[in-house]
Amino acid sequence: MSPLRVIFAGTPEFAAHHLEALLGSQHQVVAVFTQPDRPAGRGKKLQASPVKTLALSHNLPVHQPIHLKTPEDQALVEQYQADVMVVVAYGLLLPKAVLSLPRLGCINVHASLLPRWRGAAPIQRAIQAGDTETGVTIMQMDVGLDTGDMLAVSRCPIEPTTTAAELHDQLCAIGCPALIDTLNQLADNSVKPVPQDHNKANYAHKLSKEEAQIDWRQPADTIDRLIRAFNPFPVAFTLLGEERLRIWQAAVVSEQTSAPPGSIVSSEQYGSKSRLVIACGAGQLALTSVQLPGKKALAIADLLAGSSAKFAEGTQFISAEPADE
């Protein structure tokens, strides 16, 4: 088997893990494409993507086009005479002209069991929907959005307590070897593409900070899934007056209550067994890790030790407005 000449295109940490695996393989990374540097942090200084940082540390050529639609952009890809282009969370759609430039086309590492979740946020939407299983699909790219034939599938369970941060790491762990195995199969012409069932597709919309506000009229298990799906970004929150309380972790309490949704049912300090329980539309939710404005995330025991009066029983959190149908 001859090593493949690979162009890598990706941007966030998930992509950087796959680039690192590729650099440790027998295949040759000849160039890296990533999103332009973006302002980040309080100072809004330009910050390189994790993929760019890793690529530069390995002295790889790095390109950061705004898009790949112009002849000049496409000539950048063509000049490397790559066998294949590997795309992982790049953030740009590849035009048809680019898809056909590498000898073996372009393949994508997608964090979902396609066609279950296509689009920008498959990890978070799988948790939010209550899926019990997800995985990584290696896909031959076509002009559609995550619609190409599947080349490899690796599965991963979603546990009842799994957060998006944890699932991200689990999918990295199975996606990296799946990518290398697929490249090996492409190199020896043994890969077997499988078409997707387009009737089973769902679109994983990009996350918004607005939808992170909790609607306490929802059932407790629905709110719990939202909290886990939005950890570590954008982080679920609720309002206490005008103060925003970010909720990092919680646990469903199955007992019912007649208290109004969003009201504190129980606020008790018992050291490590302290409780802050909120009424929901059905069931209750025990908050376990929360964050006050300008502060670090705190366990409930530490929160109540410093702010118990603020979280007295009967206190009402403000619910988000219901989403438009």
Side-chain angles (χ1 to χ4, degrees), residues 209-226:
K209 293 182 179 179
E210 290 75 23
E211 66 177 318
Q213 184 175 358
I214 293 170
D215 180 357
W216 294 104
R217 293 163 292 194
Q218 295 287 324
D221 57 353
T222 300
I223 298 171
D224 174 60
R225 293 198 302 268
L226 174 77

PDB file of all heavy atoms in Angstrom, residues 209-226:
ATOM      1  N   LYS A 209     -27.140  31.126  21.601  1.00  0.00           N
ATOM      2  CA  LYS A 209     -27.170  31.454  23.026  1.00  0.00           C
ATOM      3  C   LYS A 209     -28.604  31.671  23.519  1.00  0.00           C
ATOM      4  O   LYS A 209     -28.904  31.409  24.681  1.00  0.00           O
ATOM      5  CB  LYS A 209     -26.317  32.698  23.286  1.00  0.00           C
ATOM      6  CG  LYS A 209     -24.822  32.465  23.052  1.00  0.00           C
ATOM      7  CD  LYS A 209     -24.004  33.707  23.369  1.00  0.00           C
ATOM      8  CE  LYS A 209     -22.517  33.443  23.158  1.00  0.00           C
ATOM      9  NZ  LYS A 209     -21.688  34.642  23.447  1.00  0.00           N
ATOM     10  N   GLU A 210     -29.476  32.123  22.624  1.00  0.00           N
ATOM     11  CA  GLU A 210     -30.860  32.391  23.016  1.00  0.00           C
ATOM     12  C   GLU A 210     -31.566  31.100  23.448  1.00  0.00           C
ATOM     13  O   GLU A 210     -32.328  31.092  24.422  1.00  0.00           O
ATOM     14  CB  GLU A 210     -31.621  33.034  21.853  1.00  0.00           C
ATOM     15  CG  GLU A 210     -31.192  34.461  21.523  1.00  0.00           C
ATOM     16  CD  GLU A 210     -29.855  34.525  20.806  1.00  0.00           C
ATOM     17  OE1 GLU A 210     -29.462  33.512  20.184  1.00  0.00           O
ATOM     18  OE2 GLU A 210     -29.198  35.588  20.887  1.00  0.00           O
ATOM     19  N   GLU A 211     -31.338  30.000  22.744  1.00  0.00           N
ATOM     20  CA  GLU A 211     -32.032  28.765  23.083  1.00  0.00           C
ATOM     21  C   GLU A 211     -31.448  28.100  24.325  1.00  0.00           C
ATOM     22  O   GLU A 211     -31.978  27.097  24.805  1.00  0.00           O
ATOM     23  CB  GLU A 211     -32.014  27.787  21.906  1.00  0.00           C
ATOM     24  CG  GLU A 211     -30.640  27.278  21.535  1.00  0.00           C
ATOM     25  CD  GLU A 211     -30.691  26.256  20.406  1.00  0.00           C
ATOM     26  OE1 GLU A 211     -31.587  25.390  20.413  1.00  0.00           O
ATOM     27  OE2 GLU A 211     -29.831  26.340  19.515  1.00  0.00           O
ATOM     28  N   ALA A 212     -30.366  28.665  24.874  1.00  0.00           N
ATOM     29  CA  ALA A 212     -29.781  28.117  26.100  1.00  0.00           C
ATOM     30  C   ALA A 212     -30.560  28.513  27.346  1.00  0.00           C
ATOM     31  O   ALA A 212     -30.336  27.947  28.419  1.00  0.00           O
ATOM     32  CB  ALA A 212     -28.319  28.570  26.235  1.00  0.00           C
ATOM     33  N   GLN A 213     -31.484  29.490  27.236  1.00  0.00           N
ATOM     34  CA  GLN A 213     -32.278  29.859  28.408  1.00  0.00           C
ATOM     35  C   GLN A 213     -33.317  28.786  28.691  1.00  0.00           C
ATOM     36  O   GLN A 213     -34.062  28.360  27.809  1.00  0.00           O
ATOM     37  CB  GLN A 213     -32.969  31.206  28.224  1.00  0.00           C
ATOM     38  CG  GLN A 213     -33.727  31.638  29.487  1.00  0.00           C
ATOM     39  CD  GLN A 213     -34.334  33.020  29.391  1.00  0.00           C
ATOM     40  OE1 GLN A 213     -34.167  33.705  28.383  1.00  0.00           O
ATOM     41  NE2 GLN A 213     -35.034  33.434  30.436  1.00  0.00           N
ATOM     42  N   ILE A 214     -33.367  28.343  29.926  1.00  0.00           N
ATOM     43  CA  ILE A 214     -34.240  27.238  30.326  1.00  0.00           C
ATOM     44  C   ILE A 214     -35.694  27.692  30.410  1.00  0.00           C
ATOM     45  O   ILE A 214     -35.996  28.756  30.957  1.00  0.00           O
ATOM     46  CB  ILE A 214     -33.785  26.670  31.680  1.00  0.00           C
ATOM     47  CG1 ILE A 214     -32.422  25.994  31.534  1.00  0.00           C
ATOM     48  CG2 ILE A 214     -34.807  25.692  32.244  1.00  0.00           C
ATOM     49  CD1 ILE A 214     -31.783  25.618  32.850  1.00  0.00           C
ATOM     50  N   ASP A 215     -36.564  26.877  29.870  1.00  0.00           N
ATOM     51  CA  ASP A 215     -38.003  27.052  30.043  1.00  0.00           C
ATOM     52  C   ASP A 215     -38.441  26.025  31.084  1.00  0.00           C
ATOM     53  O   ASP A 215     -38.565  24.838  30.792  1.00  0.00           O
ATOM     54  CB  ASP A 215     -38.731  26.825  28.717  1.00  0.00           C
ATOM     55  CG  ASP A 215     -40.249  26.989  28.848  1.00  0.00           C
ATOM     56  OD1 ASP A 215     -40.728  27.223  29.978  1.00  0.00           O
ATOM     57  OD2 ASP A 215     -40.946  26.863  27.830  1.00  0.00           O
ATOM     58  N   TRP A 216     -38.666  26.477  32.314  1.00  0.00           N
ATOM     59  CA  TRP A 216     -38.965  25.561  33.419  1.00  0.00           C
ATOM     60  C   TRP A 216     -40.322  24.877  33.268  1.00  0.00           C
ATOM     61  O   TRP A 216     -40.628  23.942  34.012  1.00  0.00           O
ATOM     62  CB  TRP A 216     -38.904  26.315  34.746  1.00  0.00           C
ATOM     63  CG  TRP A 216     -37.517  26.791  35.071  1.00  0.00           C
ATOM     64  CD1 TRP A 216     -37.046  28.063  34.973  1.00  0.00           C
ATOM     65  CD2 TRP A 216     -36.422  25.983  35.513  1.00  0.00           C
ATOM     66  NE1 TRP A 216     -35.717  28.107  35.326  1.00  0.00           N
ATOM     67  CE2 TRP A 216     -35.307  26.842  35.670  1.00  0.00           C
ATOM     68  CE3 TRP A 216     -36.271  24.623  35.800  1.00  0.00           C
ATOM     69  CZ2 TRP A 216     -34.068  26.383  36.102  1.00  0.00           C
ATOM     70  CZ3 TRP A 216     -35.032  24.166  36.218  1.00  0.00           C
ATOM     71  CH2 TRP A 216     -33.946  25.037  36.373  1.00  0.00           C
ATOM     72  N   ARG A 217     -41.113  25.306  32.285  1.00  0.00           N
ATOM     73  CA  ARG A 217     -42.385  24.636  32.031  1.00  0.00           C
ATOM     74  C   ARG A 217     -42.195  23.312  31.295  1.00  0.00           C
ATOM     75  O   ARG A 217     -43.123  22.518  31.185  1.00  0.00           O
ATOM     76  CB  ARG A 217     -43.314  25.569  31.242  1.00  0.00           C
ATOM     77  CG  ARG A 217     -43.742  26.791  32.055  1.00  0.00           C
ATOM     78  CD  ARG A 217     -44.298  27.885  31.187  1.00  0.00           C
ATOM     79  NE  ARG A 217     -43.262  28.474  30.334  1.00  0.00           N
ATOM     80  CZ  ARG A 217     -43.398  29.619  29.676  1.00  0.00           C
ATOM     81  NH1 ARG A 217     -44.523  30.301  29.781  1.00  0.00           N
ATOM     82  NH2 ARG A 217     -42.422  30.085  28.918  1.00  0.00           N
ATOM     83  N   GLN A 218     -40.992  23.088  30.809  1.00  0.00           N
ATOM     84  CA  GLN A 218     -40.673  21.818  30.155  1.00  0.00           C
ATOM     85  C   GLN A 218     -40.485  20.721  31.204  1.00  0.00           C
ATOM     86  O   GLN A 218     -40.200  20.995  32.379  1.00  0.00           O
ATOM     87  CB  GLN A 218     -39.395  21.956  29.334  1.00  0.00           C
ATOM     88  CG  GLN A 218     -39.502  22.915  28.160  1.00  0.00           C
ATOM     89  CD  GLN A 218     -40.338  22.341  27.043  1.00  0.00           C
ATOM     90  OE1 GLN A 218     -40.305  21.143  26.774  1.00  0.00           O
ATOM     91  NE2 GLN A 218     -41.110  23.200  26.387  1.00  0.00           N
ATOM     92  N   PRO A 219     -40.621  19.441  30.817  1.00  0.00           N
ATOM     93  CA  PRO A 219     -40.350  18.345  31.768  1.00  0.00           C
ATOM     94  C   PRO A 219     -38.901  18.353  32.230  1.00  0.00           C
ATOM     95  O   PRO A 219     -38.000  18.807  31.515  1.00  0.00           O
ATOM     96  CB  PRO A 219     -40.654  17.091  30.936  1.00  0.00           C
ATOM     97  CG  PRO A 219     -41.534  17.556  29.824  1.00  0.00           C
ATOM     98  CD  PRO A 219     -41.119  18.958  29.514  1.00  0.00           C
ATOM     99  N   ALA A 220     -38.672  17.814  33.419  1.00  0.00           N
ATOM    100  CA  ALA A 220     -37.332  17.819  34.003  1.00  0.00           C
ATOM    101  C   ALA A 220     -36.315  17.104  33.123  1.00  0.00           C
ATOM    102  O   ALA A 220     -35.180  17.568  32.976  1.00  0.00           O
ATOM    103  CB  ALA A 220     -37.367  17.176  35.392  1.00  0.00           C
ATOM    104  N   ASP A 221     -36.711  15.976  32.510  1.00  0.00           N
ATOM    105  CA  ASP A 221     -35.737  15.250  31.695  1.00  0.00           C
ATOM    106  C   ASP A 221     -35.383  16.022  30.425  1.00  0.00           C
ATOM    107  O   ASP A 221     -34.237  15.957  29.950  1.00  0.00           O
ATOM    108  CB  ASP A 221     -36.230  13.837  31.372  1.00  0.00           C
ATOM    109  CG  ASP A 221     -37.574  13.810  30.667  1.00  0.00           C
ATOM    110  OD1 ASP A 221     -38.206  14.879  30.540  1.00  0.00           O
ATOM    111  OD2 ASP A 221     -37.988  12.711  30.240  1.00  0.00           O
ATOM    112  N   THR A 222     -36.317  16.793  29.885  1.00  0.00           N
ATOM    113  CA  THR A 222     -36.028  17.632  28.718  1.00  0.00           C
ATOM    114  C   THR A 222     -35.023  18.718  29.073  1.00  0.00           C
ATOM    115  O   THR A 222     -34.080  18.995  28.319  1.00  0.00           O
ATOM    116  CB  THR A 222     -37.325  18.272  28.187  1.00  0.00           C
ATOM    117  OG1 THR A 222     -38.235  17.239  27.818  1.00  0.00           O
ATOM    118  CG2 THR A 222     -37.054  19.167  26.992  1.00  0.00           C
ATOM    119  N   ILE A 223     -35.210  19.343  30.235  1.00  0.00           N
ATOM    120  CA  ILE A 223     -34.292  20.393  30.686  1.00  0.00           C
ATOM    121  C   ILE A 223     -32.921  19.801  30.983  1.00  0.00           C
ATOM    122  O   ILE A 223     -31.889  20.400  30.648  1.00  0.00           O
ATOM    123  CB  ILE A 223     -34.872  21.110  31.919  1.00  0.00           C
ATOM    124  CG1 ILE A 223     -36.200  21.793  31.564  1.00  0.00           C
ATOM    125  CG2 ILE A 223     -33.878  22.129  32.469  1.00  0.00           C
ATOM    126  CD1 ILE A 223     -36.945  22.343  32.762  1.00  0.00           C
ATOM    127  N   ASP A 224     -32.889  18.632  31.585  1.00  0.00           N
ATOM    128  CA  ASP A 224     -31.618  17.972  31.887  1.00  0.00           C
ATOM    129  C   ASP A 224     -30.827  17.707  30.598  1.00  0.00           C
ATOM    130  O   ASP A 224     -29.613  17.925  30.546  1.00  0.00           O
ATOM    131  CB  ASP A 224     -31.872  16.663  32.622  1.00  0.00           C
ATOM    132  CG  ASP A 224     -30.606  15.858  32.837  1.00  0.00           C
ATOM    133  OD1 ASP A 224     -29.680  16.374  33.495  1.00  0.00           O
ATOM    134  OD2 ASP A 224     -30.526  14.724  32.330  1.00  0.00           O
ATOM    135  N   ARG A 225     -31.503  17.268  29.554  1.00  0.00           N
ATOM    136  CA  ARG A 225     -30.822  17.014  28.283  1.00  0.00           C
ATOM    137  C   ARG A 225     -30.277  18.313  27.695  1.00  0.00           C
ATOM    138  O   ARG A 225     -29.179  18.340  27.127  1.00  0.00           O
ATOM    139  CB  ARG A 225     -31.769  16.331  27.296  1.00  0.00           C
ATOM    140  CG  ARG A 225     -32.169  14.918  27.695  1.00  0.00           C
ATOM    141  CD  ARG A 225     -32.721  14.139  26.515  1.00  0.00           C
ATOM    142  NE  ARG A 225     -33.870  14.759  25.891  1.00  0.00           N
ATOM    143  CZ  ARG A 225     -35.136  14.509  26.212  1.00  0.00           C
ATOM    144  NH1 ARG A 225     -35.414  13.635  27.190  1.00  0.00           N
ATOM    145  NH2 ARG A 225     -36.130  15.110  25.581  1.00  0.00           N
ATOM    146  N   LEU A 226     -31.037  19.401  27.822  1.00  0.00           N
ATOM    147  CA  LEU A 226     -30.565  20.699  27.343  1.00  0.00           C
ATOM    148  C   LEU A 226     -29.290  21.110  28.075  1.00  0.00           C
ATOM    149  O   LEU A 226     -28.315  21.551  27.452  1.00  0.00           O
ATOM    150  CB  LEU A 226     -31.649  21.760  27.550  1.00  0.00           C
ATOM    151  CG  LEU A 226     -31.237  23.194  27.211  1.00  0.00           C
ATOM    152  CD1 LEU A 226     -31.239  23.406  25.707  1.00  0.00           C
ATOM    153  CD2 LEU A 226     -32.150  24.213  27.882  1.00  0.00           C
TER     154      LEU A 226
END
